[in-house]
Amino acid sequence: MIKTKKEKTVTSSESCKQFSGKRIFVCGKGGSGKSSIVALMANVLHNERYKVMVLDGDASNPGGLARLMFGLKRGPKPLIELFGGREKVECPVDNPAPLTRLNDTIPVTEKNIEVTEIPSEYFIEKDEIILFQVGKIKTACEGCDGPMSKVTRDFIVTGDWVTLIDVEAGIEHFGRGVEKNIDIILVVVDPTFESFLIAEKVFHFCKELGKEMAWTILNKVQSEEMESVMIDELKKKKTGIIGTVHYDSGIGKTGLMGTALGKCEALEEVKCIVETLETECFGSTGDD
Ligand SMILES: Nc1ncnc2c1ncn2[C@@H]1O[C@H](COP(=O)(O)OP(=O)(O)OP(=O)(O)O)[C@@H](O)[C@H]1O
Ligand SMILES: [Mg+2]
């Protein structure tokens, strides 16, 4: 059962923070920094006194957020097993029907998940931030990761949690409609032309889906010149920019050594991004 210190201390003014109850989706090119940005955002939002839940929706990446956020080698038990595994959960393309609990016909999208109904092996909770993972590909020929995508799409919790969702590289999740129940989409863009093209595609899909709350985050920026090229390219592609995270050797080292992110210079930049995002989405910051 999940019972964080935060739950015990949350007051009514804290619970009306603007991102509360929102599902924020972080996507982009492979290696652009999606997972790092999610881990940093989780920290920033926690410091802003949000109740933070992170959903690792990347079935391909074996390490991922358990390592980045908590320095752990293993993630929690896959959520897909809570819903009956591959036998019960199908790829949204083959079967778009919503996710249901085992032995229940009411979709999770109608009767959202109470965090207290989830057994403790399905999450890791540390420093009042909770991590779930939808599942990982473990054996050859086991099938596509579509069933895990359905869990990512429909795992919606009750209450004022802000859910940060990290997904696999590229755009396949759009093909599966994983963004259906998402409030805010962030595209992490590193200094590569491929990344600009993916951002353009994502914005095209967002338009098709009627999702207006979408922005890019420039990441691994190494100079003003590089930043201005990125801004020009993204402007041409009509993708909104919410902020910049510079190349941070601390994060680079983390990626090399396979350690947890911890405190790093980029945290301040991500804090600015969260504040700007709050203003862009809601017209004011939660502190007003
Ligand atoms: N701002 C940054 N400065 C320096 N290195 C960074 C930065 N952001 C990410 N990295 C490094 O880039 C690599 C990829 O980062 P990360 O795993 O967060 O990307 P990703 O988009 O989630 O990748 P994948 O597509 O494999 O899931 C890692 O080695 C990470 O340490
Ligand atoms: Mg990742």
Side-chain angles (χ1 to χ4, degrees), residues 34-35 58 61 166:
K34 302 175 288 298
S35 303
D58 184 351
N61 216 327
D166 183 27

Side-chain angles (χ1 to χ4, degrees), residues 30-36 58 61 169 219-220 246-248 251-252 255:
S32 58
K34 302 175 288 298
S35 303
S36 304
D58 184 351
N61 216 327
N219 190 31
K220 305 194 203 182
H246 286 87
Y247 184 88
D248 181 329
I251 304 181

Side-chain angles (χ1 to χ4, degrees), residues 2 13-14 27 52 57-58 72 98-99 105 112 117 140 149 177 186-187 212 218 226 239 243 253 272 280 285:
I2 294 169
S13 66
E14 285 161 4
C27 61
V52 183
D58 184 351
L72 299 173
L99 184 72
T105 52
N112 295 166
E117 75 183 82
S149 295
L186 299 175
V187 194
E212 286 171 17
L218 312 188
M226 184 182 269
T239 69
K253 197 169 171 199
C272 286
E280 287 286 327
T285 67

Side-chain angles (χ1 to χ4, degrees), residues 4 15 19 71 75 86 118-119 126-128 138 146 178 190 196 209 230 233 254 262 268:
T4 65
S15 66
F19 291 121
R86 284 183 177 278
I118 306 173
K126 206 164 168 242
D127 300 331
E128 302 175 350
K138 286 200 185 117
V178 175
D190 65 6
F196 308 150
L209 292 170
M230 291 171 82
E233 284 298 327
T254 291
E268 268 310 303

